[in-house]
Amino acid sequence: MTQPVSDFKSKSGFKRILAATSYSMDGFKSAWTHEHAFRQELIVVVIGVIIALVLPVSAFQKLFLIAVLVLVLIVELINSAIEAVVDRVSLERHPLSKNAKDFGSAAVMLAVLIAIASWAVVLFNRFY
């Protein structure tokens, strides 16, 4: 028995890569336009990347500091996707909808805490 295939299923080969890049750029544009938290976090990430690049730490530590900041953006995008799907299904208040949104928010909080702890450890080890 064959599985049903969505009309929206991606293309193959190089066309798939181009389409995926386009979809990703659309996602970034939409997040920037519609998600206040994403804009705020992206501004913090840009500042953090600049600081990480000029800090007198190893290349690996620079990469690590930048990676934990990007992790926050990744989790925020996933959280925004969860919220969008929940809102698409129904705008009425429901305990399961609240759970889904709260779980996404908790994931963002954990990512932020990991980033803060990581920066604190690297900076502490470098300067104290």
Side-chain angles (χ1 to χ4, degrees):
M1 176 181 223
T2 62
Q3 295 285 346
V5 178
S6 168
D7 291 336
F8 300 105
K9 186 71 178 151
S10 64
K11 302 157 184 64
S12 63
F14 189 68
K15 287 183 181 180
R16 184 193 64 76
I17 294 169
L18 291 176
T21 301
S22 176
Y23 301 147
S24 297
M25 295 312 297
D26 289 346
F28 285 124
K29 289 177 195 171
S30 181
W32 177 261
T33 303
H34 303 291
E35 299 296 330
H36 298 289
F38 180 81
R39 284 195 302 272
Q40 293 168 343
E41 291 160 355
L42 184 59
I43 291 166
V44 170
V45 168
V46 168
I47 294 166
V49 166
I50 293 167
I51 293 169
L53 291 174
V54 299
L55 277 173
V57 296
S58 71
F60 179 79
Q61 289 172 318
K62 290 177 191 291
L63 174 63
F64 178 67
L65 293 174
I66 293 168
V68 294
L69 294 176
V70 172
L71 174 67
V72 172
L73 291 180
I74 292 167
V75 177
E76 182 62 49
L77 287 168
I78 294 169
N79 179 46
S80 295
I82 291 167
E83 290 179 351
V85 169
V86 168
D87 290 346
R88 167 67 175 90
V89 170
S90 174
L91 291 175
E92 81 178 49
R93 294 191 183 273
H94 190 281
L96 292 176
S97 297
K98 180 177 177 2
N99 280 351
K101 290 184 174 192
D102 290 350
F103 295 158
S105 179
V108 173
M109 184 183 76
L110 289 175
V112 168
L113 291 174
I114 288 170
I116 290 169
S118 298
W119 274 74
V121 168
V122 170
L123 293 177
F124 183 82
N125 282 338
R126 172 61 181 101
F127 295 108
Y128 294 103

